[in-house]
Amino acid sequence: MIELKGITKKYTKNGSPEVSVLQGVDLEIRKGEFVAIMAPSGMGKSTLMNIIGCLDRPSAGQYFLDGTEVVSMDDDQLSRTRNKKIGFVFQSFNLLSKTTALENVELPLIYSTEDVDLKAKARAALEAVGLGDRLDHVPSELSGGQQQRVAIARALVNDPALILADEPTGNLDTASSHEVMNIFRKLHQDGRTIVLVTHEPDVAGEAQRIIKMKDGKILSDERRAE
């Protein structure tokens, strides 16, 4: 599903020397895999996630998503690819504060080209993460774990094949983290491809594969014993 060849990413800021964040990353992820990417802060894992999610472009290299070359896509094509194929879950939830859970989950559907019943699909996604009784609550009326479950429902509402999660348990207590990881486990069992960025070994331990990064390079790629 995902094939990266020689991916590099370089930044310059305010005339400072060029900084290489990713240095020739090669990576393949098959459809239906559950992969965790681990690294300390500043080692390139979130940059890699942004490139996989078509939120950023590499400085060099090739990226194929479902066999389609991504790097040469224009902004409209990238936007359509994100909306159709990828669901995003972030550490900070990224929910609209004055908007209900149902309305937050409806948002990706507004940009969909499909003729769908927004409220029915959003309601079904929230019920799937155990929040069918919280449809009309705004984020301030929800716990951190419930807010992250709203974010997961929003990621699922367009039925993407690929879920990208960037530190999804980083702002949660232990109990809420377990709830969220239980959802990711079920999504994987249902056939979704999941790529999760984390610095927490116990969270990474839920994945089939654990990829460790350092200084913008892949240090190890290990498959966990089933």
Side-chain angles (χ1 to χ4, degrees), residues 116-225:
V116 296
D117 183 336
L118 271 65
K119 290 198 182 318
K121 279 202 80 171
R123 186 180 297 110
L126 283 163
E127 289 171 350
V129 297
L131 290 177
D133 59 345
R134 295 289 189 272
L135 305 180
D136 297 323
H137 289 63
V138 297
S140 62
E141 297 171 331
L142 300 171
S143 69
Q146 288 170 335
Q147 289 184 59
Q148 190 62 293
R149 282 190 278 158
V150 172
I152 293 171
R154 181 184 57 195
L156 293 174
V157 76
N158 269 334
D159 197 29
L162 173 62
I163 302 292
L164 301 182
D166 193 351
E167 299 281 5
T169 60
N171 285 343
L172 304 181
D173 59 32
T174 301
S176 296
S177 294
H178 286 314
E179 289 177 357
V180 165
M181 292 311 299
N182 283 338
I183 293 172
F184 281 120
R185 264 198 304 276
K186 184 176 185 306
L187 292 174
H188 175 234
Q189 290 166 0
D190 290 343
R192 310 267 184 181
T193 305
I194 299 173
V195 182
L196 182 150
V197 161
T198 184
H199 65 274
E200 301 176 69
D202 56 333
V203 172
E206 299 286 348
Q208 288 177 306
R209 285 170 66 190
I210 300 176
I211 295 169
K212 293 182 180 180
M213 295 185 66
K214 185 176 181 180
D215 298 327
K217 300 176 182 178
I218 292 178
L219 197 62
S220 66
D221 184 348
E222 299 177 357
R223 185 171 296 275
R224 186 172 61 86

Side-chain angles (χ1 to χ4, degrees), residues 5-20:
K5 296 181 177 181
I7 293 293
T8 66
K9 184 65 179 181
K10 299 179 180 180
Y11 291 102
T12 57
K13 185 176 180 181
N14 299 328
S16 60
E18 195 171 60
V19 176
S20 293

Side-chain angles (χ1 to χ4, degrees), residues 4-38:
L4 305 176
K5 296 181 177 181
I7 293 293
T8 66
K9 184 65 179 181
K10 299 179 180 180
Y11 291 102
T12 57
K13 185 176 180 181
N14 299 328
S16 60
E18 195 171 60
V19 176
S20 293
V21 182
L22 296 176
Q23 303 185 52
V25 172
D26 296 317
L27 177 62
E28 292 186 12
I29 296 174
R30 295 190 299 273
K31 184 177 181 180
E33 282 196 293
F34 186 172
V35 178
I37 300 174
M38 292 189 71

